[in-house]
């Protein structure tokens, strides 16, 4: 059995509402349960949604555009 040394995983979609944010969160949670370090970045510049899925609404967060500018 070959050991997978994947360092980066990107979840993307062409259309809206295909479940890519939910899929990304579920993958991150599964990896975290296996004691893996996880950095989950919401790079959706139009409609970021990870804060809603992870129930962090109302908290102040820097957006991806804050870091890019």
């Amino acid at each position: 059995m070959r050991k997978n040394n994947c360092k980066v995983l990107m979840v993307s979609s062409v259309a809206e509402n295909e479940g890519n944010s939910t899929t990304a969160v579920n993958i991150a949670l599964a990896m975290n349960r296996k004691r893996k370090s996880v950095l989950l970045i919401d790079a959706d510049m139009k409609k970021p949604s990870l804060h809603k899925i992870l129930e962090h609404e109302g908290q102040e967060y820097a957006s991806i555009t804050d870091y890019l500018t």
Side-chain angles (χ1 to χ4, degrees):
M1 180 179 222
R2 193 175 98 182
K3 191 172 186 176
N4 189 352
N5 291 323
C6 180
K7 303 261 185 212
V8 176
L9 175 67
M10 182 175 88
V11 179
S12 180
S13 174
V14 178
E16 290 184 32
N17 299 321
E18 289 188 332
N20 48 333
S21 295
T22 304
T23 300
V25 168
N26 286 328
I27 292 170
L29 291 172
M31 295 302 292
N32 185 258
R33 283 188 199 108
K34 291 186 171 266
R35 306 265 190 239
K36 302 290 183 185
S37 296
V38 177
L39 174 62
L40 182 61
I41 299 173
D42 190 348
D44 188 333
M45 298 174 95
K46 290 183 181 179
K47 291 176 64 178
S49 61
L50 290 182
H51 64 285
K52 294 176 186 173
I53 295 170
L54 297 171
E55 299 177 355
H56 289 283
E57 290 187 81
Q59 296 181 14
E60 289 293 319
Y61 289 98
S63 69
I64 192 76
T65 54
D66 292 328
Y67 290 104
L68 293 175
T69 54

